[in-house]
Amino acid sequence: MEPALLSCLNPHCRAQFAVEEVLYTCPRCGALIEATYPGMALDPAATKRMWRERRMSNAPLDQSGVWRYREMLGFVDTTVHEVVTLREGNTPLLPAPPAAQFGGLDALVFKHQGFNPTGSFKDNGMTCGATQGLRLGMQRVACVSTGNTSASMAAYASSAGMTPIIFLPHGNISYGKLAQALEYGALTLQVEANFDQILALVRVLADETGIYLLNSVNPFRIEGQKTIMVEMLDQRDWQVPDWVVVPGGNLGNISAFGKGFRELLAMGFIDKLPRFAVIQAAGSAPFYDYFLNRSEFHPIPDPETLATAIRIGDPVSWPKAIQVIDDSNGVVESVTEQEIADAKAIVGRCGIGCEPASAATLAGIRKLTAAGVMAPDADVVAILTGNVLKDPDYIYKYHTGQLKTPSGEMIAPGYGNSPVVVPNDPGKIVALLAERVGS
Ligand code: F0G
């Protein structure tokens, strides 16, 4: 195979660069870039068999649900370069009948990326970004984050002996995620600005200081995240679902998913694409607005949502994401704070649980079936992006009727489950149990 390249996505530029160059955007025209693999051709039947057999192996790379598919990650030669892996991926497909019913579907399966080592889908990308950082000899790596990227980067950088430097929007990140960054040993800077403002700042800092940037604008993050779709198809014996539903913030994940599917389709591993649905929180929905009116992309200067993971008004990857939506006859939907909160409680009642941003998927599905866009008998995989324990504060407030939207309106605990304070008295507890759960 010819060497992998970094290629500019602007059809009028299409400049190409070596993968060893430190680039986040095209130095000629400023457009987004991606890793490309000229001449990549794999035998679908033989490769699918090999990937399946690797699940029986104890070799670290085979145990990773990302590097198991390393033939699609040809930017690095894993026989030469050290791979930074925490055995990420391997996330389950979980059927969820109560969520299906709530969403207006006959059946629904969640692919739960919260089962990753640091509890979010970021690990799938970070293993590749960190591996590339190490291969380039980087000693310091940085990211701006709404929380999950920083938790993941801190873990991967520390495990590889690189220094993680994290920039967070002060006051708008859940404690679970902040705690992870501290515990994994990152230098943690809380900036008094929002995600979009800090990303602009950090891009300047990265250029000036030579610190390696591991946001999803880093093309190797996208390479890792595309394998979420490869693993999903492997787990479904290569049956392509009708729909894949995913929350949208900076739009790296949807871009990665589209790239994964595009490459598998081109090589004959599958014969069609699913339709993609990206769900945004109503207060942070510039991509939804763009999908509706298609004139110009208007960033939102002051994005708001309690789903802080997707509190992003100027998503970097929107040009890649709209391509994925268009190529797949996909849709973009937006959901309110109340809709997210209720959907999240339903995911919890399935015994599955997720963080607020992830629940946007189920809230979006409910809207799309109600509107007749998604058929009740559709074969749907929804991505739960983060673990339930990422944001316990939100959970407690919802269930106890104390959760308020960013503008101060109460969120009704429609599926609330408040703890009950009881006296130290067996008789009274027996009576309460009889009343609440039957005798
Ligand atoms: N869900 C969760 C739990 C996230 O943490 C994020 C993004 C998204 C969805 C949106 O994914 O940006 O690829 O469209 N979190 C980033 C962060 C921005 O900094 O952790 P996206």
Side-chain angles (χ1 to χ4, degrees), residues 120-122 144-150 177 195 215-216 225 247-254 309-310 312 355 357-358 385-386:
S120 86
F121 71 95
K122 306 291 181 181
V144 50
S145 177
T146 57
N148 280 323
T149 299
S150 51
K177 299 171 190 177
F195 175 91
N215 275 96
S216 60
Q225 284 170 220
N250 217 13
L251 303 173
N253 220 16
I254 181 65
I310 49 173
I312 294 175
E355 69 162 283
S358 310
T385 43

Side-chain angles (χ1 to χ4, degrees), residues 5 20 65 83 148 164 181 189 216 248 258 262 280 292 366 411 421 434:
L5 294 167
E20 293 83 5
V83 168
N148 280 323
L189 307 173
S216 60
R262 209 164 46 235
Q280 294 210 289
L292 289 188
R366 187 173 161 97
I411 290 183
V421 181

Side-chain angles (χ1 to χ4, degrees), residues 41-48 267 269:
L42 302 171
D43 175 331
T47 311
K48 286 176 186 176
M267 292 190 294
F269 280 64

Side-chain angles (χ1 to χ4, degrees), residues 1 37 39-45 47-48 51 69 71-73 226 230 238 259-271:
M1 199 171 92
Y37 306 102
M40 176 164 70
L42 302 171
D43 175 331
T47 311
K48 286 176 186 176
W51 287 346
Y69 308 105
E71 284 71 22
M72 289 184 70
L73 303 171
K226 82 183 178 189
V230 185
W238 301 92
K259 187 172 193 280
F261 265 101
R262 209 164 46 235
E263 291 176 358
L264 291 171
L265 188 66
M267 292 190 294
F269 280 64
I270 48 173
D271 56 10

Side-chain angles (χ1 to χ4, degrees), residues 92-94 105 107-112 228-229 232-233 235-236 239-246 257 261 274-277 361 365 374 378-384:
L93 290 176
L94 302 171
L105 291 171
L108 175 60
V109 168
F110 288 121
K111 180 148 178 72
H112 205 328
I228 297 170
M229 293 295 99
M232 183 267 286
L233 287 167
Q235 290 167 318
R236 290 171 50 99
Q239 295 297 313
V240 177
D242 296 326
W243 287 91
V244 172
V245 187
V246 62
F257 289 6
F261 265 101
R275 296 181 73 185
F276 283 103
T361 51
I365 288 168
M374 191 179 275
D379 176 6
V380 182
V381 176
I383 311 300
L384 296 179

Side-chain angles (χ1 to χ4, degrees), residues 303-339:
E304 281 296 356
T305 171
L306 297 179
T308 48
I310 49 173
R311 189 174 178 270
I312 294 175
D314 192 4
V316 170
S317 293
W318 73 264
K320 287 185 183 176
I322 197 66
Q323 186 89 48
V324 177
I325 294 296
D326 287 347
D327 290 350
S328 74
N329 188 25
V331 297
V332 185
E333 186 53 273
S334 90
V335 289
T336 65
E337 297 296 311
Q338 182 74 54
E339 288 167 335

